[in-house]
Amino acid sequence: MSMFENRKSIAPLYEAMIAHNQSQPSSFHVPGHKSGLGVLDEAKPFLQAVMSIDYTEITGLDDLHHAEGAILEAEQLAADCFGAEETYFLVGGSTAGNLAMITSVCERGDLILVQRNVHKSVIHGLMLAGARAVFLSPAWDHETGTATGIHIEDVKLALRRYPEAKALLLTNPNYYGLGVDLRPFAQLMHEQDKLLLVDEAHGAHYGFHEEVPASALSSGADVVVQSTHKMLTAMTMGAMLHVKGPRIDRVAIKQRLAMLQSSSPSYPILASLDLARKRMHTEGKAWISRGLGVVKEFRALLNELKTFGYHSYDFPNVKDHGFSTADPFKVSIYDKTGTLSGSDLQDLLEACGCFVEMADARNVLLVFSPASSRDDVWRVYQALANINLDEQLQKKELLEPISNISILPPDTQISTPIAFDLRDLRKTGSNESYVSTVTIQDAIGKRSADMVIPYPPGIPYLYPGETITASVAEALEQLAMNGIRFQGTAFGQTQKLKIYT
């Protein structure tokens, strides 16, 4: 029995904050809104309640960067709940966790194996660390038209080529909820006394129910970063970093988090992390089960609309596609007639008040969670039914789905070591003689000076220094044509890229 068995139903930080609030104290400390008293009258119905507990590091409410009281206990309870040995609360999202994870493992010049289709924060972490990366290209799922996970044989080959690699960093699951069984990867890395690092931003609910995949921690990962706000109930930017096992330098993790996180962390976000953990600790399986019922109802209704499809998987037959698990709360839908692109369908759904997570050329991604309601299901079903009628889709032939150019087409399955260094970016960014802005076609064969990031999902198509191939240029043009937004570049507005000269 866990030493926290009798403490699962408490939320120590949240309860301390409420107790302080109910004592009706006078505030002679920051923040300046004084527990919401200074908020504009028009905003009080929306903001005053949360601002009334927007505290700082005062007596009784502990200190995130030197936790000894309520925050420490909240983090210990979270570690017990999610299967870690130590857990650290994050108020800067999984971005802060990924940066801390990478910079605590890698020093300048160190080598790390990295799945190529990672979030931009991983690339930024490599830059901050001054590390070298060997990128492993993901497999390709032709049904969804998206990049998935990597094959373990590629990791074995990369380790033979680069035995000095300190760790393997994987994203699991991906934005579409597709993932791999992490246990063989953990075993392989640990046999060589190396680390498995996992960006599990979309998998905070994993491991709590037999119908969702196993968690990264239970599969043997050494460091795991989860966005508790994505699939559970924390406020936006609320995340957790979990560590387990003897291989990770925990002092370094704490030091990096102190550097990367605000010295004035949001107490409402911290409290929401505490409460999200309490829900999973006390009713996680039942809560997920209720949410799964909602999603199953949506899939059943969608089956009645013959013109819209969604992706389901026969796992014995998709092993070559780089994934073996799928999150049932992620539903990618598409128009079987090929009439509506993903962005078309997104626009039509949002005109009906149904706002989706993202769209690609073919699919619209609907993200459900255990908090989703049957009212939401019926609303999106009715919206799709109306779209079906308005667009007269039922009168059209079922064609091949629209091509989805989302693949990241590198030259090799396993890259050579690529050095990342902020000093190079600083030099090129401040000296126009190092860069030039050219059309996408003129950029082919040149090295990108931009970080080109379709967003969402925030996975870089190009990182600074990467060679722009003809297939990448074609993919970027297709994405822009389909209305996909970009970060890190003006390409979406200008159809031009910065290249190194």
Side-chain angles (χ1 to χ4, degrees):
M1 179 181 292
S2 165
M3 62 181 289
F4 295 100
E5 189 65 33
N6 297 325
R7 306 282 289 168
K8 291 179 179 180
S9 61
I10 70 165
L13 177 59
Y14 173 74
E15 291 170 13
M17 291 165 62
I18 294 302
H20 182 78
N21 179 272
Q22 291 177 343
S23 71
Q24 297 183 325
S26 293
S27 169
F28 299 98
H29 54 78
V30 297
H33 59 71
K34 301 301 178 185
S35 299
L37 295 176
V39 71
L40 287 169
D41 289 343
E42 64 200 68
K44 284 181 178 178
F46 301 100
L47 290 180
Q48 192 165 40
V50 69
M51 293 177 81
S52 71
I53 55 168
D54 184 24
Y55 293 129
T56 188
E57 297 88 347
I58 54 177
T59 301
L61 298 187
D62 209 357
D63 180 347
L64 179 64
H65 296 293
H66 189 74
E68 298 177 304
I71 293 176
L72 176 61
E73 185 175 6
E75 290 180 329
Q76 289 172 338
L77 284 164
D80 182 71
C81 178
F82 291 96
E85 290 174 354
E86 287 188 61
T87 291
Y88 308 101
F89 283 180
L90 307 174
V91 292
S94 283
T95 292
N98 284 338
L99 296 177
M101 176 169 65
I102 294 167
T103 56
S104 66
V105 170
C106 296
E107 297 179 1
R108 187 169 301 281
D110 282 345
L111 186 72
I112 182 173
L113 308 182
V114 180
Q115 180 176 331
R116 174 60 180 85
N117 53 327
V118 289
H119 189 261
K120 62 179 180 177
S121 59
V122 172
I123 305 297
H124 292 155
L126 296 171
M127 292 176 176
L128 287 174
R132 294 178 299 140
V134 168
F135 285 118
L136 308 180
S137 295
W140 177 249
D141 174 45
H142 297 284
E143 182 176 343
T144 57
T146 57
T148 56
I150 63 174
H151 292 303
I152 195 165
E153 294 305 319
D154 288 335
V155 181
K156 292 177 181 178
L157 179 56
L159 287 172
R160 288 196 294 271
R161 289 183 185 174
Y162 305 105
E164 71 272 28
K166 299 188 72 174
L168 168 66
L169 195 154
L170 299 179
T171 298
N172 200 70
N174 70 8
Y175 216 88
Y176 293 84
L178 304 179
V180 298
D181 179 359
L182 291 170
R183 289 172 295 182
F185 293 92
Q187 182 178 352
L188 173 64
M189 299 308 292
H190 293 167
E191 284 172 354
Q192 302 190 36
D193 198 29
K194 300 178 187 295
L195 293 153
L196 175 62
L197 314 177
V198 180
D199 176 356
E200 197 178 38
H202 289 264
H205 58 308
Y206 277 18
F208 287 92
H209 192 284
E210 60 273 10
E211 293 185 41
V212 299
S215 69
L217 283 168
S218 69
S219 302
D222 299 278
V223 189
V224 177
V225 177
Q226 295 177 337
S227 288
T228 321
H229 69 92
K230 281 187 168 69
M231 298 301 296
L232 300 181
T233 58
M235 292 175 65
T236 296
M237 295 177 68
M240 297 186 191
L241 185 152
H242 307 288
V243 298
K244 189 174 183 179
R247 296 173 184 84
I248 185 67
D249 184 342
R250 302 182 191 196
V251 172
I253 285 275
K254 292 178 182 178
Q255 182 191 60
R256 301 312 187 270
L257 287 173
M259 293 177 178
L260 293 163
Q261 297 214 92
S262 171
S263 60
S264 301
S266 165
Y267 270 75
I269 291 177
L270 294 173
S272 74
L273 287 168
D274 196 15
L275 291 168
R277 183 276 316 159
K278 176 181 174 179
R279 166 154 264 162
M280 300 311 293
H281 230 165
T282 57
E283 53 176 308
K285 183 173 182 178
W287 191 56
I288 286 180
S289 184
R290 190 208 66 80
L292 288 170
V294 171
V295 181
K296 290 173 183 176
E297 182 174 345
F298 172 70
R299 293 178 192 270
L301 288 168
L302 198 57
N303 288 335
E304 298 178 10
L305 294 175
K306 305 301 183 184
T307 52
F308 291 109
Y310 64 89
H311 301 289
S312 57
Y313 304 100
D314 180 12
F315 284 114
N317 296 322
V318 298
K319 60 184 178 180
D320 293 332
H321 294 179
F323 66 96
S324 57
T325 65
D327 182 357
F329 288 101
K330 299 285 183 74
V331 184
S332 294
I333 64 174
Y334 60 93
D335 172 15
K336 288 182 179 179
T337 73
T339 303
L340 301 173
S341 69
S343 56
D344 291 336
L345 187 52
Q346 177 182 13
D347 290 344
L348 291 169
L349 283 170
E350 292 183 353
C352 298
C354 297
F355 288 80
V356 303
E357 177 67 15
M358 65 166 287
D360 57 36
R362 177 191 301 172
N363 308 291
V364 166
L365 178 62
L366 307 184
V367 176
F368 293 83
S369 85
S372 296
S373 71
R374 285 186 164 82
D375 287 344
D376 292 333
V377 164
W378 279 98
R379 183 170 185 178
V380 72
Y381 167 73
Q382 192 60 60
L384 289 167
N386 291 339
I387 292 167
N388 187 42
L389 291 173
D390 293 343
E391 301 294 322
Q392 296 187 327
L393 299 180
Q394 73 279 4
K395 296 182 180 180
K396 300 181 180 180
E397 290 185 59
L398 299 183
L399 305 174
E400 283 293 315
I402 291 172
S403 175
N404 191 24
I405 303 177
S406 298
I407 194 166
L408 300 168
D411 295 327
T412 58
Q413 198 65 20
I414 300 172
S415 78
T416 56
I418 298 162
F420 288 89
D421 197 327
L422 279 180
R423 294 177 299 184
D424 293 336
L425 285 182
R426 193 179 304 118
K427 181 173 62 176
T428 56
S430 61
N431 190 333
E432 292 184 2
S433 66
Y434 282 93
V435 297
S436 178
T437 301
V438 299
T439 67
I440 184 68
Q441 291 301 315
D442 288 339
I444 295 173
K446 308 297 194 302
R447 294 186 307 121
S448 175
D450 281 335
M451 177 98 81
V452 182
I453 309 164
Y455 192 88
I459 297 169
Y461 251 65
L462 291 168
Y463 52 79
E466 186 172 19
T467 299
I468 302 162
T469 64
S471 55
V472 165
E474 179 188 0
L476 291 176
E477 288 179 318
Q478 185 68 43
L479 288 168
M481 188 183 306
N482 284 313
I484 302 301
R485 294 179 291 117
F486 293 88
Q487 293 181 344
T489 177
F491 173 76
Q493 294 78 40
T494 66
Q495 300 293 289
K496 293 183 179 181
L497 289 176
K498 288 183 179 179
I499 59 167
Y500 287 123
T501 56

